[in-house]
Amino acid sequence: MTQRLIVIGGDAGGMAAASQARRRRGRDDLEIVAFDRGHFTSYSACGIPYWISGVVPERDQLIARDPATFRDDFAIDVRLRTEVTGIDLERREVVAREVDGGRQVRERFDTLVYATGAVPVQPSWATGTAGIFGMQTLDDGAALREWLNGDPAPRRAVVVGGGYIGVEMAEAMIECGLSVTLVEQAEQPMSTVDPDMAALVVEAIRGLGVEVRTGTTVTGVEERDGRVSAVVTPDGPLPADVVVLGLGVRPNTALAEAAGLPLGPTGGIRVDRRMRVPGVSDVWAAGDCVETLHLVSGMPVHIPLGTHANKQGRVAGINIGGGYATFPGVIGTSVTKVCDLEVGRTGLRERDATAAGFEFVTVIVESTSRAGYYPGAQPMMVKLIAERPTGRLLGAQIVGRSEAAKRIDALAVALWNGMTVDDMTGLDLGYAPPFSPVWDPVLIAARKAVDTLAGSGR
């Protein structure tokens, strides 16, 4: 009898799982149906700010595989604009509703993949007024593009929240010709890095012409003719023709919770190393809706990134298809940019290391991206956090210009493999004047950390 796989979610995690399952099981052996409430499959949500700004000219450049490709090449029945509204584990059915027509259907499954992603954190004041946008899906990006191209065209933007999305969208709004105010409740944006490194990012944001308001909470909005006209703060209203939310995301687990699937302390779905949901048979989960293990702290974390979602979906699909694969966990590596300033991080921040119970030292070095005499050399700051007394690398951050951020990859590999800063001083990194000083900034930082641990760096 043909088995039936239902996938809830048509982006990275869900479609990676569906594709891998299909590669291992024939069309007569496994029927695959994928539901998504949006208009698109397998797209780059991380690329949305660059489409908004015009750096990426066409929306479809962000789409890796469209529904027709999945139908024709993978025999996956993709049903867009169809929202799954319930999961009945006893009857092994999902309940789905067509978004445009409202028709409701029930579909049986033998195996289920839950890959609903994440949803933007949305305060109560952000609903019911036109011109306020979360920025999580390609549909969100399309709605914002339509608003920016509307009549009257917006002139003033307020971005609420200063994480990766907030910072990237502030730059995109500047590129679109709007005046931009970035409002952050904390004392400075970019809480993904430590305050000393984030201060460099704030300087770059202001250099773009963005007004940065820190320590400020948005408590409401003002509207005119049903459209947003300002955001309300304790210091008075800030005029706005468009508001973009950059307050982060949370796992989209409402359906899972209602069905009785187990959630972890982060709010994400609990899964094992093979991406199975424990306690229920033949139910798997992947992507931004799950929590995973941080390999440095040993704690459960929710880190929504397309890289993780694709890997997790691949692991789930291989296992569903009869193979064997595991997802080991994450170390929190990420990069972004503000204009020409690049920001990278991996592992633990200082507050993470403290919360995990580590004793540690930190060092910061300033170096250059190339040999100082070579044209185009740019400064960069490298920060390392190392365990005391072992010297094991716990985390790293880099802020700089040309060729800075991708150096975080070398540090991520060192971290992944449990290297000490002493080990790192001997790394055989590439050198030529157009690419690095004779002592790469990574090596200089490692040497300083060794000295600090030995007590000679005071």
Side-chain angles (χ1 to χ4, degrees):
M1 179 180 175
T2 301
Q3 296 286 298
R4 201 160 202 246
L5 167 62
I6 294 287
V7 177
I8 308 174
D11 200 6
M15 300 315 290
S19 301
Q20 288 296 322
R22 171 58 73 222
R23 286 190 171 100
R24 286 159 177 79
R25 296 181 64 175
R27 301 183 183 205
D28 295 332
D29 180 44
L30 181 68
E31 179 186 1
I32 305 176
V33 181
F35 293 100
D36 195 282
R37 74 181 311 276
H39 291 86
F40 310 98
T41 55
S42 293
Y43 56 86
S44 171
C46 296
I48 292 172
Y50 309 109
W51 173 47
I52 297 295
S53 69
V55 171
V56 177
E58 299 295 334
R59 179 200 66 197
D60 288 356
Q61 291 177 265
L62 302 182
I63 300 173
R65 286 186 178 138
D66 61 18
T69 301
F70 285 114
R71 293 184 187 112
D72 296 343
D73 296 351
F74 293 89
I76 297 171
D77 180 5
V78 178
R79 303 185 190 179
L80 296 181
R81 303 296 288 159
T82 306
E83 180 178 16
V84 174
T85 58
I87 302 170
D88 189 330
L89 292 175
E90 279 193 28
R91 299 180 64 176
R92 310 294 283 182
E93 289 181 341
V94 298
V95 181
R97 179 184 63 85
E98 294 177 354
V99 174
D100 298 321
R103 186 173 72 95
Q104 184 170 291
V105 296
R106 300 183 74 96
E107 299 285 354
R108 72 166 186 88
F109 64 85
D110 299 292
T111 303
L112 179 71
V113 172
Y114 191 103
T116 54
V119 292
V121 173
Q122 196 166 34
S124 57
W125 54 259
T127 58
T129 301
I132 302 175
F133 299 90
M135 204 47 53
Q136 181 65 17
T137 68
L138 197 50
D139 284 288
D140 295 333
L144 177 58
R145 282 272 298 212
E146 183 178 358
W147 186 266
L148 294 175
N149 294 328
D151 185 18
R155 296 180 296 107
R156 303 162 301 184
V158 171
V159 178
V160 184
Y164 285 131
I165 289 295
V167 168
E168 290 168 359
M169 289 306 302
E171 180 177 358
M173 294 294 96
I174 287 285
E175 293 291 330
C176 290
L178 280 68
S179 65
V180 181
T181 302
L182 177 67
V183 181
E184 170 58 52
Q185 187 173 10
E187 290 308 310
Q188 62 189 54
M190 289 298 290
S191 63
T192 48
V193 295
D194 287 323
D196 46 10
M197 303 296 274
L200 303 173
V201 182
V202 175
E203 182 181 344
I205 297 170
R206 289 189 167 125
L208 286 173
V210 176
E211 180 185 357
V212 180
R213 299 280 191 100
T214 58
T216 302
T217 302
V218 175
T219 58
V221 293
E222 295 178 357
E223 61 179 73
R224 184 180 302 113
D225 299 326
R227 300 165 62 99
V228 65
S229 62
V231 299
V232 179
T233 76
D235 300 321
L238 299 174
D241 306 309
V242 59
V243 175
V244 178
L245 302 177
L247 294 167
V249 298
R250 56 179 175 79
N252 186 2
T253 55
L255 273 177
E257 187 173 17
L261 299 182
L263 305 185
T266 68
I269 299 172
R270 287 176 48 227
V271 291
D272 65 15
R273 291 171 66 90
R274 297 183 70 190
M275 306 312 296
R276 293 178 299 197
V277 179
V280 289
S281 63
D282 294 310
V283 176
W284 308 72
D288 294 354
C289 59
V290 307
E291 73 175 20
T292 189
L293 176 69
H294 198 292
L295 296 177
V296 183
S297 71
M299 304 293 288
V301 290
H302 176 244
I303 300 180
L305 277 177
T307 51
H308 305 331
N310 276 289
K311 292 172 189 173
Q312 291 167 350
R314 179 177 183 274
V315 166
I318 289 172
N319 288 310
I320 291 168
Y324 179 82
T326 63
F327 182 77
V330 300
I331 57 174
T333 307
S334 59
V335 292
T336 191
K337 76 172 195 69
V338 182
C339 193
D340 62 344
L341 187 73
E342 303 175 3
V343 184
R345 64 153 290 187
T346 190
L348 307 181
R349 301 163 296 186
E350 288 185 33
R351 58 184 176 276
D352 302 324
T354 299
F358 289 109
E359 290 190 11
F360 58 90
V361 300
T362 64
V363 298
I364 298 178
V365 300
E366 182 174 359
S367 185
T368 56
S369 58
R370 306 173 181 179
Y373 56 80
Y374 193 89
Q378 295 287 341
M380 75 172 68
M381 304 291 286
V382 179
K383 179 174 184 175
L384 300 186
I385 301 171
E387 184 182 22
R388 188 200 301 271
T390 66
R392 178 167 69 108
L393 183 67
L394 298 177
Q397 298 161 35
I398 297 178
V399 176
R401 286 179 164 79
S402 174
E403 298 131 25
K406 286 300 282 181
R407 273 184 166 87
I408 206 69
D409 287 343
L411 291 161
V413 171
L415 188 64
W416 186 272
N417 288 283
M419 294 180 70
T420 67
V421 288
D422 196 20
D423 295 332
M424 291 166 56
T425 61
L427 286 172
D428 187 6
L429 303 181
Y431 162 68
F435 304 108
S436 168
V438 67
W439 284 99
D440 190 90
V442 168
L443 302 179
I444 296 172
R447 287 170 53 196
K448 184 173 181 180
V450 169
D451 289 345
T452 302
L453 284 162
S456 61
R458 297 191 186 97

